[in-house]
Amino acid sequence: MKSFLLLVLSLMAGCQARSEVKGCLQGWVEFTCKYPEPKRKYTDIYVDNPRQTHTHSTEKDVWEIKGSFSLFHDTRNKKVRVAIKQLEHEDFGVYQCDFYQYECATDAVELDLVDGKHGCQAPFIQTAYRTAKTTITCDYPGNTHLSSVKVFCKDNNLICEDILSIKSSSLSNGTFTLRETSSGFNVSISDVSSQDAAVYWCGVESNDGRYRAAFRKIQLQVKDITTFSRSLTAGQNFTYWCRYPNGASVKKFICKGEDPSVCQRLASTASPKKNTKFSMKDDIEKRNITITVREVTTDDTGTYWCGAESTAQGRSNLFFNRLLMTAVPSATSPPSFTQPVTVPYGSFDHASVLTIVVALALDVLLLLLMLTTYFLYTRFASCWNTRRGA
């Protein structure tokens, strides 16, 4: 989506007001046609478009789907909302809203679409992980949209429902949080769930609310991820495994942070010698990465992600597992392991199995010792009683 459409709105009833909005190819725009005379009631409304078709609205106060067009006759606010999805080159041109009362046209609104060359971005597929956090980036190239209100909305097949906007009194609704940046804004989603999987749009809205347009589409996918939790002693070395699927990029990495989309890189297979504390070794045949953390400190407590850089343009990086590490001072922690703790890929780990086996073995040995003691005691007591009877 490297080009955009420029919509010029003008009232045909002699008014001089003009407004502009930029809308991207394959994106959507929404504009408003106001009643020419607010005190009148209009029975039929037609929208003429560059495709030379007449879109007719007959329902009131509900959305009507007319192909790639949707109409909402808002009788309370005395206007008609027109939404156009999947904009194509054929959508360039003039739009006219005709209001009829008793078979008579009363007024019209005209929109003119013209070519442009900047402002739009390519669609992006982002993968998020359940119970984690993810951040969607909405950048505005240059100063294209500085005069408009920035919005973030969710596609519901009819229109794009607002989630957050710069003009809102609150920039957070509990799950979504919007933060302005020097180039646009970011939207963070906390505690991601399967209900968050959807199509989202970064867009703009005119200051008077008469039109909206999208310039970036984000397809958010939500997946599960294998998660490990480990409590470690400060000073010990820690090693764990990260297995990856076929087709993963050769550039694997480990990063730290609650949000994998913006986590801090610590080590990479592309430059293994740059970090002496964190190291990675890639076994390509087994599709397995060995990650070692040397001399763990309490500052190493946090969330770690094992992932690979995406090879597909327009897709986020892929992650394989998540590690929740807690490091405690040696004076208050359990005894250190004499061997590195190993966490293999999967739903269980060898360290846990080994701990269970050792515990069972100790229980068995203790039981045998008690039985042996009891057996010797009963033999000794029997012999002593026999001698006394003699």
Side-chain angles (χ1 to χ4, degrees):
M1 298 196 307
K2 294 184 179 180
S3 59
F4 63 85
L5 312 178
L6 179 62
L7 281 69
V8 182
L9 180 148
S10 61
L11 299 180
M12 295 183 63
C15 299
Q16 300 300 317
R18 293 177 65 87
S19 301
E20 296 181 352
V21 64
K22 298 176 177 65
C24 300
L25 290 171
Q26 299 305 311
W28 56 264
V29 293
E30 180 183 323
F31 60 87
T32 298
C33 296
K34 295 183 178 181
Y35 279 18
E37 297 183 32
K39 293 183 179 181
R40 290 191 177 186
K41 294 182 179 180
Y42 297 97
T43 55
D44 291 309
I45 301 171
Y46 288 85
V47 179
D48 296 335
N49 57 68
R51 295 176 181 267
Q52 297 182 348
T53 58
H54 303 280
T55 305
H56 184 202
S57 174
T58 56
E59 301 292 333
K60 296 181 179 180
D61 301 314
V62 294
W63 279 103
E64 301 176 77
I65 302 177
K66 310 287 185 177
S68 61
F69 295 83
S70 296
L71 302 180
F72 187 93
H73 185 178
D74 187 348
T75 58
R76 179 179 179 181
N77 295 300
K78 312 297 183 182
K79 64 182 181 181
V80 174
R81 295 168 62 186
V82 182
I84 312 169
K85 298 185 64 176
Q86 299 294 321
L87 286 168
E88 300 177 358
H89 287 286
E90 291 78 7
D91 294 314
F92 286 60
V94 177
Y95 289 79
Q96 180 172 298
C97 297
D98 295 325
F99 295 82
Y100 286 83
Q101 183 187 37
Y102 308 118
E103 305 295 333
C104 182
T106 58
D107 208 342
V109 174
E110 187 176 279
L111 294 98
D112 189 21
L113 288 78
V114 241
D115 280 317
K117 294 183 178 179
H118 65 281
C120 299
Q121 300 177 30
F124 190 74
I125 300 175
Q126 183 160 326
T127 301
Y129 302 91
R130 285 182 179 86
T131 72
K133 185 179 180 181
T134 194
T135 298
I136 296 173
T137 301
C138 295
D139 287 337
Y140 291 74
N143 60 357
T144 304
H145 303 284
L146 294 181
S147 61
S148 303
V149 177
K150 304 173 183 66
V151 297
F152 182 75
C153 59
K154 183 178 182 180
D155 197 317
N156 71 353
N157 293 324
L158 286 173
I159 59 171
C160 202
E161 295 179 342
D162 281 345
I163 295 178
L164 292 172
S165 169
I166 296 297
K167 69 178 181 180
S168 303
S169 58
S170 174
L171 299 182
S172 177
N173 61 8
T175 301
F176 294 82
T177 301
L178 186 150
R179 293 182 178 88
E180 288 193 83
T181 65
S182 58
S183 58
F185 64 90
N186 292 335
V187 176
S188 297
I189 308 175
S190 61
D191 194 18
V192 172
S193 68
S194 56
Q195 286 74 26
D196 296 319
V199 172
Y200 298 90
W201 292 90
C202 304
V204 293
E205 180 178 321
S206 64
N207 292 315
D208 59 6
R210 294 202 64 181
Y211 57 78
R212 299 193 306 154
F215 67 89
R216 193 185 193 198
K217 176 183 179 181
I218 300 96
Q219 173 79 53
L220 187 67
Q221 301 175 340
V222 178
K223 294 184 178 180
D224 291 313
I225 192 167
T226 301
T227 301
F228 303 102
S229 297
R230 286 294 175 270
S231 181
L232 305 172
T233 303
Q236 77 176 97
N237 294 338
F238 174 57
T239 300
Y240 68 103
W241 298 344
C242 172
R243 191 174 183 189
Y244 54 86
N246 278 323
S249 167
V250 296
K251 295 182 179 180
K252 320 296 190 311
F253 62 88
I254 180 175
C255 64
K256 182 181 181 182
E258 297 295 326
D259 185 346
S261 61
V262 293
C263 58
Q264 178 186 4
R265 295 280 184 97
L266 300 174
S268 171
T269 55
S271 53
K273 295 183 180 180
K274 285 191 175 182
N275 193 321
T276 57
K277 185 178 182 64
F278 293 84
S279 62
M280 302 180 68
K281 184 178 180 182
D282 189 2
D283 187 334
I284 299 177
E285 292 185 358
K286 295 181 179 179
R287 303 199 310 277
N288 189 77
I289 301 171
T290 301
I291 302 169
T292 300
V293 187
R294 294 178 178 84
E295 298 183 359
V296 172
T297 68
T298 54
D299 292 336
D300 295 323
T301 296
T303 302
Y304 295 82
W305 300 84
C306 175
E309 293 185 6
S310 175
T311 56
Q313 186 176 7
R315 292 190 69 98
S316 62
N317 292 329
L318 176 66
F319 291 90
F320 313 124
N321 69 28
R322 172 175 55 180
L323 171 66
L324 307 179
M325 182 195 300
T326 302
V328 295
S330 57
T332 60
S333 63
S336 299
F337 292 97
T338 56
Q339 297 292 330
V341 180
T342 302
V343 181
Y345 180 85
S347 59
F348 64 91
D349 58 88
H350 292 170
S352 299
V353 175
L354 179 61
T355 301
I356 296 173
V357 171
V358 171
L360 291 174
L362 290 175
D363 290 341
V364 172
L365 288 175
L366 181 60
L367 179 61
L368 290 176
L369 180 61
M370 293 175 62
L371 290 175
T372 302
T373 302
Y374 177 78
F375 177 76
L376 292 175
Y377 172 80
T378 54
R379 289 294 301 274
F380 178 81
S382 176
C383 291
W384 174 257
N385 291 333
T386 302
R387 290 183 179 180
R388 290 185 62 184

